[in-house]
Amino acid sequence: MPAAPSTADGLLARLGPTAHPLYWVCGVHLLLAFLLFDPKPFLGGDNYWYMLLGESLRSGDGYRDLWLPAMPPHTRYPPVYPAALALLGFVANAPLLFKLFSAACTTGIAALAFLLANERTGDRQLAVMAGLLVGAAPIVVEYSHWVLSEPLFTFLSMMALFAFTRDGDGKNPKTLAIGTVAVILASLTRSAGYPLILAVVIAFAVRRRWKQCAIFFGVVVIALGAWWLRNKMAVSGDLPYSQWIMFRDPYNPELGTVTMGEMVARFWFNFKRYTLAILPQSVAGRDVTGSVAGLYGVVLAVPIIIAAFRNIKRPRVVELYFIFYMGLILLWPEAWGDQRLLLPVLPVAILLMLEGLAWLARLVAKTDQRTALATFVAAVALVAVAAFGNVRIMSSAVDCTRQYWRGDRFACYPVPATDFINVASWASQGTPTGSVVINRKPQIFYWYARRRGDNYPYSTNPDSILNFMNNQGASYVVVDRWSATTYRFLVPAIQANTQLFGLAHQEGDPPTFLLTYRPGGGR
């Protein structure tokens, strides 16, 4: 049951409308997001992939991978986020505009964290702290300027959690509709939305709300079934995430798939990694490492676990979603463990942490006032640590942004990445239209070169790589210094067949090469 409103409510009620907690929660996040804003594209390939999918939808080509030689239908990423980019692209096909959309989503996440905490606890003071801590968390601030689907997915998930928390029994048709639509859109933004579906179904079942459960599940199955059927009928050649998860190493598929014992070991390894490194770094900064990160992670994790399992006999949708989502990412390959996977559930983790701290405070405090004071002091300390995590990198971030606006479009990029992009830019004019270029970052290469291509196979067999290049109709290949896999897989294949390759262009010192490829012999 919700706790009694704190004594802070009376003061807040007397404040003017501009002093409403939502203004402060959103304002703090927007201030930090503005000060650390990075106008350059993120160097991971996924954001370029999303922008190209949006471009494909906007151009009328359908939902396809434009950067691949065959332009197959895309089946890996659900379409909601690319569709949002496609709509924004009618205004301007510019990463800067897409980044502002991400900032709007993360601002909404902070606001929903406040609303969700207030709805669950009735404690306005705790709710304000939850919103501020989410808004100031370094990982949330960082993703406010990346063109990735996580901010939109997290926003939609939080909207669904708020709707089903406000009306846990689903008696209000309007709330049920809003929550259901939010769940569908979230699940069509990222496949990781399926734990949210399971959480809502079980929460309804526990409360014996069979009618609402049937309506919700039926609508969700129809909506997601259409996406599933489209993918079953499409011929893309892409592997589903369920198969990637089973690889021992997704970057080296030749190692095979995991056994049940290895899956248990992976779960335990990921649990320790998320608890002792990824979680503390997400709320305190990436530079928090070693024993400091481990100790802080334990301090954070204990109240989270207490709050998540304290009412396990009658679980609510928030706790169920947290448990199911964490169970999913703890089974992902160790090579993929990252703050990016934690971000969608981090606002929920922060809320549970504050609830757990409040519960622990009640155990040791003798009065409600002391409990509220202890919780308030602990929450303020956590917010201060999060804010300081942003402050520590603010100077370098502002300097990089200043260099960018002064004309250096590669400001603070690593040199190998800059060389790779320069090679792609040269290829846009220096290679024939329709050339196929094999390279490690084909989405990024296509964005700058408008030349299709694909990543080389992660195989130590040179013949496998050459056969792949022949099947793709490749006429060029990039030897970059950006990725270690290039030297592990691609370079040995070139060294074993030097007569098939010739130099077309190079950038940097040591150089990044664009090589010609001719199955009948190079020059």
Side-chain angles (χ1 to χ4, degrees), residues 20 29 57 100 121 154 186 195 217 284 301 321 325 336 343 372 374 391 445 458 475 504 514-515:
H20 191 282
H29 174 73
L57 288 171
L100 294 177
T121 67
T154 308
F217 189 69
Y321 172 61
Y325 184 90
W336 284 354
L343 175 64
V391 171
F445 195 90
Y458 294 150
S475 50
L514 177 66
L515 303 181

Side-chain angles (χ1 to χ4, degrees), residues 186-205:
S187 301
L188 290 175
T189 301
R190 289 191 65 80
S191 300
Y194 294 117
L196 182 58
I197 298 173
L198 183 60
V200 175
V201 169
I202 293 180
F204 276 142

Side-chain angles (χ1 to χ4, degrees), residues 30 36 49 75 80 104 112 125-126 233 338 387 428 496:
L30 285 172
L36 278 80
W49 202 339
T75 58
V80 166
L112 284 168
Q125 178 178 279
L126 186 145
M233 297 175 64
D338 186 66
S428 67

Side-chain angles (χ1 to χ4, degrees), residues 208-226:
R208 300 184 182 277
R209 299 297 175 184
W210 304 116
K211 179 181 178 181
Q212 291 83 352
C213 185
I215 293 173
F216 169 81
F217 189 69
V219 173
V220 168
V221 167
I222 292 172
L224 299 187

Side-chain angles (χ1 to χ4, degrees), residues 262-285:
E262 290 172 329
M263 186 65 80
V264 173
R266 173 190 287 180
F267 184 94
W268 177 240
F269 175 87
N270 283 334
F271 176 80
K272 292 189 295 182
R273 186 179 179 190
Y274 275 95
T275 300
L276 303 179
I278 295 176
L279 173 61
Q281 289 173 353
S282 296
V283 295

Side-chain angles (χ1 to χ4, degrees), residues 75-98:
T75 58
R76 179 180 297 188
Y77 298 139
V80 166
Y81 183 62
L85 298 185
L87 292 175
L88 291 170
F90 284 112
V91 178
N93 188 30
L96 182 60
L97 179 61
F98 304 150

Side-chain angles (χ1 to χ4, degrees), residues 127-447:
V128 171
M129 291 302 161
L132 288 175
L133 186 51
V134 170
I139 188 60
V140 178
V141 175
E142 179 179 324
Y143 273 74
S144 69
H145 54 249
W146 294 148
V147 185
L148 294 169
S149 63
E150 280 77 10
L152 178 59
F153 173 75
T154 308
F155 172 77
L156 293 169
S157 299
M158 292 292 289
M159 182 181 292
L161 293 175
F162 176 67
F164 287 117
T165 297
R166 192 162 194 172
D167 182 22
D169 293 333
K171 294 180 179 179
N172 187 326
K174 182 178 179 180
T175 306
L176 178 62
I178 292 173
T180 302
V181 170
V183 169
I184 291 172
L185 291 177
S187 301
L188 290 175
T189 301
R190 289 191 65 80
S191 300
Y194 294 117
L196 182 58
I197 298 173
L198 183 60
V200 175
V201 169
I202 293 180
F204 276 142
V206 167
R207 287 161 177 76
R208 300 184 182 277
R209 299 297 175 184
W210 304 116
K211 179 181 178 181
Q212 291 83 352
C213 185
I215 293 173
F216 169 81
F217 189 69
V219 173
V220 168
V221 167
I222 292 172
L224 299 187
W227 168 245
W228 175 85
L229 182 61
R230 179 263 183 190
N231 288 346
K232 292 294 290 185
M233 297 175 64
V235 180
S236 70
D238 197 10
L239 297 177
Y241 271 123
S242 58
Q243 188 165 340
W244 284 105
I245 290 175
M246 298 306 296
F247 285 131
R248 288 191 174 96
D249 182 355
Y251 297 110
N252 194 0
E254 291 179 336
L255 295 178
T257 56
V258 293
T259 63
M260 183 59 67
E262 290 172 329
M263 186 65 80
V264 173
R266 173 190 287 180
F267 184 94
W268 177 240
F269 175 87
N270 283 334
F271 176 80
K272 292 189 295 182
R273 186 179 179 190
Y274 275 95
T275 300
L276 303 179
I278 295 176
L279 173 61
Q281 289 173 353
S282 296
V283 295
R286 291 184 182 271
D287 58 345
V288 177
T289 58
S291 58
V292 174
L295 179 60
Y296 195 51
V298 172
V299 169
L300 298 174
V302 168
I304 292 174
I305 294 172
I306 289 174
F309 291 95
R310 190 163 60 91
N311 297 316
I312 196 63
K313 291 184 178 180
R314 191 171 175 80
R316 292 176 287 181
V317 65
V318 169
E319 290 90 341
L320 288 169
Y321 172 61
F322 174 80
I323 293 169
F324 294 150
Y325 184 90
M326 288 304 303
L328 174 65
I329 66 173
L330 292 180
L331 293 175
W332 280 53
E334 297 166 6
W336 284 354
D338 186 66
Q339 294 177 343
R340 181 179 177 183
L341 291 180
L342 183 64
L343 175 64
V345 81
L346 183 64
V348 174
I350 288 174
L351 170 58
L352 293 175
M353 177 186 60
L354 292 176
E355 291 182 8
L357 286 174
W359 183 81
L360 290 172
R362 286 190 211 102
L363 293 181
V364 298
K366 296 182 179 180
T367 65
D368 289 342
Q369 288 183 339
R370 290 182 179 180
T371 298
L373 179 61
T375 305
F376 176 77
V377 171
V380 168
L382 292 170
V383 173
V385 169
F388 187 57
N390 294 295
V391 171
R392 288 197 302 272
I393 63 173
M394 193 169 294
S395 176
S396 59
V398 170
D399 183 60
C400 291
T401 302
R402 184 186 299 114
Q403 294 179 47
Y404 176 86
W405 291 121
R406 288 177 175 175
D408 183 1
R409 65 172 183 150
F410 301 133
C412 300
Y413 273 173
V415 174
T418 299
D419 292 343
F420 181 91
I421 295 173
N422 281 330
V423 166
S425 298
W426 182 90
S428 67
Q429 301 296 325
T431 61
T433 302
S435 299
V436 174
V437 184
I438 301 301
N439 63 90
R440 177 61 180 85
K441 304 280 187 178
Q443 300 95 338
I444 299 178
F445 195 90
Y446 181 83
W447 182 266

Side-chain angles (χ1 to χ4, degrees), residues 32-67:
L32 292 171
F34 172 77
L35 292 173
L36 278 80
F37 187 78
D38 186 351
K40 304 185 306 300
F42 176 58
L43 287 176
D46 284 358
N47 62 329
Y48 289 91
W49 202 339
Y50 284 122
M51 291 189 292
L52 291 172
L53 287 172
E55 185 178 310
S56 176
L57 288 171
R58 190 173 59 256
S59 64
D61 290 318
Y63 198 51
R64 296 180 175 275
D65 289 323
L66 295 178
W67 47 273

